Structure formats: C-alpha cells, structure tokens
C-alpha cells in the first residue's frame, strides 16, 4: 500500500494524480483488474480535499462520478483546468470517478473513511462457545467499507481486523503440544468471531483494527479477560516391547515399537504381552479414561482406567480393543482416539531335541519355542535320573553346563509342565541329544494334555 501525505503525486495509471487539503496520509489500494478500477484511495475525510489530474498530452480533461449504479450512470462533475492540470474541488467520498483524457479513460474510487470509522469498545468470550471453536463477542461500531466497480458490482474493502490469541499445537519433533501464537484476519468488524483452532490453553483474545487506523497510528484494540480452555485435543501412542520366541527355536528378538492411534500393525502377539499406551493432551483435558473391551463397538466396556498413560499386560487369546477419551472439566468437550486392536495368539510350545554347546555361537543353548504361556516348569535329568538343571520360565535356556562345566556328548531327558494363557495344559517329556557339532534340530511331538 502506497502512502500519500499533503500534496503527493502517484503514478497509479501512467499519469499523475494528486490530493491537497488532507491532513492525514491518503492510503492507496490496488483492486482486481476485473473491477475496472485503477486504484482505490482511502481518505480519513474528504472534507476540504481537492484532487488534481495532469495530462501529459495537454488534452482537455473532463470528470464524471458514479455511485452504486456503476459507470454507466456516471454524471458530469464541474472542474477547473489550468494548463495541463485539471482540479476537482468538490471531492465527494464513497464515489467512483472517471477521468476522460482525450480518447482514454481512467477510473478510481474515493473512500471517506470517517463515514465508516472503526471504534472498538469491548471483547469477551461468548457463553455460546462450543467444542472445537472459540467464539468472541465484540462491541463497537464501524460498518463494512463498500465500493462499486465500474459495472456497478458491490465489493467490500478488506480492513484487516485481527484477533490474536495463544493456543497449543502438536509438534512431531517434540512429541508434545507446544504453545503458539495465532493471528486471524477478518475483512470487517463483526459482532462475533468464530475461531479455529480454539484456545487449547489459558489465554486472552486481543481484537485489533484496522489496517487504515494502523497506518494513521490510531490503531484500536480491545482485550478479553483471561480465559481457560474449553476445547481439548490429544495424540495417543502404543509402545510395545518385543520378546517373541514364536517362530524360532533358538533366537529371541527384542525391540520397541511406537504406534500411533489408528495404526494397529504389529500390536499383540504372544501372551503375556506388555503394552504401554500414552496420551499427550492439551491443557483443557481434565478427565482421562482408557477403555478396554472385547467388543469393537464399545457398547460393552470391560475395564475403564482413569489415567493419562496405561501399562497393561494382555493374557487372554483373541482380539482386544482399546481407546482413549479425554474431556474438559464439565464433560462438554471430549477427544476420542481411534481404536487400538491388540491380537493375542493361542498358546504354543515346541521343544528342540538336540543342541551343540561347543562355543561356536551356533545352537549353543537348548531353549523352547513358545507363545502365550502363563506358567512354565522344566526339569532336565541325566541318564541316571538325577536332575541337573531346572527352568521356571520359557525365556530361560540351558547352556549344557552342570556346576560350571560343559557336559559330555550324550542323551539327557526333560519333563515340562506348562499352562497357556488360553487355559491349555501342556505336559511334555523327551530326549535332549547333546552333540559337539552343528546340525539341524527337530522338534518333539510328545504327549500333550
């Protein structure tokens, strides 16, 4: 926006136009070409202001003005011309003007700002505010500033009235909600402003305007009292530690997997399955609840946990469904996460019948492969029937040592009793062949009960 003060010349349409008699800067707007207007000039007041146009060709200049009917209904306006300069002394605000310079015409609009002056009195947070929207009530005066194109189409001049406040915004890098400043711009004064995103934290709302008053250093500003957030937002994640022996008799892999809400890939597996569910929330969240059910519709909820984060051990076979709900103090606004589905497989127990504890790093440990076991007891005997080793968890293994010394090649005997999380009972017994070379191992299919 170019600014004019006193008698200033602007090359707005390849000729010169100047204003005199104005005490404040003349503000210049460039409208869309489709309006047929070269410029819009905003004067604080048109009282006592004259406008002059200088023709570079020395033509006789004529002036016309129009209102809401457009240029087709323009009327001649009396002017005086001295040399190449024509002056219009009776400048009228909120009118369009057409200058005829020989065979060329130039159109512009004059706005008398004083007739529309913005005055702000107060601002408050509306009692009608709703979840997800902050509503601000504003009292003041100042009607929208209208102008008309050369074809008589009504347009509104953008006054750029702003509402500034603080809210919270999710940051993927910080994995948290951080406070951020927000500025929303509006074309004109409204009795009510609906703002998204809402204030997710305690803040004040500051209404400022408009850009014309700002240019004249008369900016108006009103502020609401400090207000706590009503709206809520959240992000949830599932973090599962991995310890899965399911498909490999001799190896165990560990790791961690963080999964966002709605992404269920990889959740579950063998029981007991430990998963940590985390919720990151905005300041307005007062009540936290995780809901756990076997019903995907959540019509019947088995357990409710009133914590922001939840550590849970899944034991039962099948699909489990979990979601988070965070709400404000009176429950009028709540966030509901997508559903996490955790699938626990049926129990399984496979036992190797040979291993080679020779220190080469391959098949040096005898260890069962399992899934979803709740209890486990295993005793290993030598050929004389003496117990040489005892295991109390399927995660444990035998390295082939007794009293710190590796046993010789030969046959040992195991007895296992275990219970699956699905209630299945296991009783297994069989041979353990210790060899001093690396070879393929099989699995026993001993008696199960």
């Amino acid at each position: 926006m170019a600014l004019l003060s006193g008698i200033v010349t602007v090359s707005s349409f390849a000729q010169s136009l100047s204003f005199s008699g104005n005490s404040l800067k003349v503000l210049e707007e460039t409208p869309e070409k489709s309006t047929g207007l070269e410029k819009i000039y905003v004067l604080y007041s048109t009282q006592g202001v004259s406008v002059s146009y200088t023709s570079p060709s020395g033509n006789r200049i004529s002036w016309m003005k129009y209102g809401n009917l457009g240029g087709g209904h323009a009327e001649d306006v009396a002017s005086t011309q001295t040399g190449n300069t024509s002056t219009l002394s009776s400048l009228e605000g909120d009118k369009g003007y057409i200058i005829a310079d020989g065979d060329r015409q130039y159109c512009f609009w004059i706005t008398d700002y004083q007739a529309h002056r913005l005055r702000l009195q107060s601002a408050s947070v509306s009692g009608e505010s709703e979840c997800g929207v902050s509503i601000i009530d504003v009292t003041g005066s100042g009607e929208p500033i209208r102008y008309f194109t050369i074809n008589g189409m009504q347009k509104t001049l953008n006054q750029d009235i702003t509402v500034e406040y603080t809210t919270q915004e999710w940051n993927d890098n910080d994995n948290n909600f951080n406070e951020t400043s927000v500025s929303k711009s509006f074309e004109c004064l409204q009795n009510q402003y609906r703002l998204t995103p809402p204030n997710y934290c305690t803040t004040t709302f500051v209404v400022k305007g408009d850009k014309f008053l700002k240019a004249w250093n008369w900016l108006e500003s009103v502020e609401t009292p400090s207000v706590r957030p009503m709206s809520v937002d959240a992000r949830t994640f599932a973090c599962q530690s991995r310890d899965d022996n399911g498909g490999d008799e001799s190896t165990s892999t560990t790791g961690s997997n963080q999964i966002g809400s709605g992404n269920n890939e990889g959740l579950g597996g063998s029981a007991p399955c430990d998963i940590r569910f985390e919720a990151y929330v905005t300041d307005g969240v007062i009540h936290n609840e995780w809901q756990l059910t076997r019903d995907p519709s959540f019509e019947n909820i088995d357990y409710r946990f009133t914590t922001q984060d939840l550590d849970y051990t899944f034991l039962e076979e099948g699909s489990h469904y979990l979601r988070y709900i965070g709400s404000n103090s009176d429950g009028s606004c709540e966030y509901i996460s997508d559903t996490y589905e955790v699938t626990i497989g049926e129990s399984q127990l496979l036992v190797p019948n040979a291993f080679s504890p020779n220190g080469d790093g391959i098949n040096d440990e005898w260890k069962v492969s399992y899934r979803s076991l709740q209890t486990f007891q295993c005793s290993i005997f030598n050929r004389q029937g003496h117990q040489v080793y005892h295991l109390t968890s399927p995660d444990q293994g035998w390295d082939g040592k007794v009293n710190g010394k590796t046993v010789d090649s030969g046959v040992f005997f195991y007895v296992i009793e275990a219970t699956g999380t699905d209630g299945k009972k296991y009783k297994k017994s069989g041979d353990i062949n210790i060899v001093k070379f690396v070879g393929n191992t099989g699995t026993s299919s001993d008696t199960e009960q």
Side-chain angles (χ1 to χ4, degrees):
M1 178 186 293
L3 304 178
L4 308 175
S5 179
I7 301 177
V8 181
T9 299
V10 292
S11 56
S12 58
F13 33 83
Q15 308 298 327
S16 60
L17 193 72
S18 61
F19 295 87
S20 62
N22 48 291
S23 59
L24 295 175
K25 299 172 183 177
V26 176
L27 308 180
E28 178 184 329
E29 293 274 308
T30 302
E32 297 177 355
K33 290 185 178 180
S34 60
T35 64
L37 300 172
E38 302 288 343
K39 293 290 180 182
I40 298 173
Y41 296 103
V42 182
L43 285 70
Y44 183 75
S45 173
T46 57
Q47 186 176 0
V49 178
S50 62
V51 58
S52 298
Y53 170 79
T54 300
S55 171
S57 304
N59 295 320
R60 183 69 184 173
I61 308 302
S62 63
W63 297 71
M64 294 182 288
K65 70 177 180 180
Y66 72 90
N68 59 356
L69 298 180
H73 297 269
E75 302 172 347
D76 291 333
V77 182
S79 61
T80 59
Q81 184 163 343
T82 302
N84 293 352
T85 301
S86 176
T87 300
L88 180 65
S89 299
S90 57
L91 184 63
E92 187 177 350
D94 296 329
K95 295 292 182 181
Y97 287 87
I98 303 172
I99 296 176
D101 180 5
D103 59 354
R104 303 190 67 178
Q105 288 187 336
Y106 304 100
C107 305
F108 60 96
W109 184 270
I110 296 292
T111 292
D112 185 350
Y113 182 83
Q114 190 169 254
H116 315 275
R117 192 191 194 286
L118 174 71
R119 297 185 186 276
L120 298 176
Q121 297 173 353
S122 66
S124 60
V125 177
S126 174
E128 301 175 0
S129 291
E130 56 197 53
C131 189
V133 181
S134 293
I135 302 177
I136 307 303
D137 292 329
V138 180
T139 58
S141 60
E143 63 183 22
I145 301 176
R146 313 291 190 189
Y147 68 94
F148 291 88
T149 70
I150 195 68
N151 293 323
M153 182 177 295
Q154 180 178 275
K155 298 281 189 177
T156 301
L157 200 57
N158 183 15
Q159 293 176 251
D160 192 21
I161 295 174
T162 61
V163 182
E164 299 172 356
Y165 59 102
T166 301
T167 188
Q168 290 177 308
E169 185 178 79
W170 178 255
N171 187 303
D172 286 325
N173 294 326
D174 295 342
N175 219 33
N176 209 347
F177 284 97
N178 297 330
E179 286 194 2
T180 182
S181 298
V182 177
S183 180
K184 296 287 186 179
S185 179
F186 298 89
E187 192 173 66
C188 58
L189 177 64
Q190 301 172 197
N191 293 329
Q192 195 173 80
Y193 293 103
R194 299 173 63 86
L195 305 172
T196 55
N199 62 306
Y200 289 122
C201 59
T202 299
T203 188
T204 59
F205 294 85
V206 181
V207 183
K208 296 180 180 180
D210 56 15
K211 67 181 179 182
F212 305 119
L213 290 178
K214 182 178 181 180
W216 293 320
N217 295 318
W218 286 355
L219 184 68
E220 296 259 343
S221 178
V222 290
E223 183 174 338
T224 70
S226 179
V227 59
R228 288 185 54 80
M230 184 191 79
S231 298
V232 298
D233 197 9
R235 298 290 186 277
T236 61
F237 298 92
C239 303
Q240 179 175 354
S241 296
R242 296 294 186 186
D243 189 358
D244 188 0
N245 286 316
D248 192 322
E249 298 173 359
S250 59
T251 63
S252 174
T253 59
T254 61
S256 180
N257 188 20
Q258 187 181 60
I259 299 174
S261 178
N263 180 1
N264 297 307
E265 182 179 353
L267 278 182
S270 174
C273 177
D274 297 321
I275 303 180
R276 178 174 175 81
F277 297 93
E278 299 176 343
Y280 298 84
V281 302
T282 56
D283 289 354
V285 175
I286 303 299
H287 304 294
N288 300 276
E289 181 174 283
W290 288 93
Q291 298 177 344
L292 178 62
T293 180
R294 303 298 289 267
D295 176 9
S297 69
F298 284 86
E299 292 183 3
N300 299 299
I301 298 173
D302 299 323
Y303 301 101
R304 300 176 188 268
F305 306 92
T306 56
T307 58
Q308 185 170 326
D309 299 326
L310 173 65
D311 293 296
Y312 193 81
T313 300
F314 293 87
L315 298 174
E316 298 181 12
E317 177 198 358
S319 295
H320 305 259
Y321 304 94
L322 193 109
R323 69 181 181 185
Y324 169 81
I325 298 180
S327 61
N328 61 0
S329 58
D330 61 5
S332 60
C333 187
E334 63 181 17
Y335 169 92
I336 303 178
S337 75
D338 291 335
T339 299
Y340 291 97
E341 182 178 358
V342 180
T343 303
I344 303 300
E346 65 180 4
S347 64
Q348 187 181 54
L349 177 60
L350 300 176
V351 184
N353 60 13
F355 74 117
S356 56
N358 55 10
D360 64 357
I362 301 174
N363 202 25
D364 282 335
E365 184 180 49
W366 181 88
K367 192 174 184 180
V368 301
S369 178
Y370 72 97
R371 185 169 59 231
S372 299
L373 294 183
Q374 190 170 21
T375 65
F376 180 85
Q377 296 290 331
C378 174
S379 295
I380 300 174
F381 302 90
N382 60 20
R383 284 176 292 182
Q384 289 73 40
H386 298 137
Q387 180 176 297
V388 297
Y389 211 78
H390 185 72
L391 309 172
T392 58
S393 169
D395 293 329
Q396 298 172 343
W398 181 39
D399 59 4
K401 293 181 180 180
V402 176
N403 296 324
K405 182 179 179 180
T406 302
V407 299
D408 294 330
S409 298
V411 178
F412 287 75
F413 189 72
Y414 69 86
V415 174
I416 295 176
E417 291 188 2
T419 304
T421 56
D422 52 5
K424 189 174 182 179
K425 303 291 185 180
Y426 294 89
K427 287 187 178 181
K428 285 179 173 281
S429 60
D431 295 337
I432 303 175
N433 293 286
I434 295 181
V435 293
K436 293 302 178 71
F437 62 90
V438 179
N440 294 327
T441 62
T443 57
S444 68
S445 56
D446 305 283
T447 304
E448 295 183 12
Q449 295 183 2

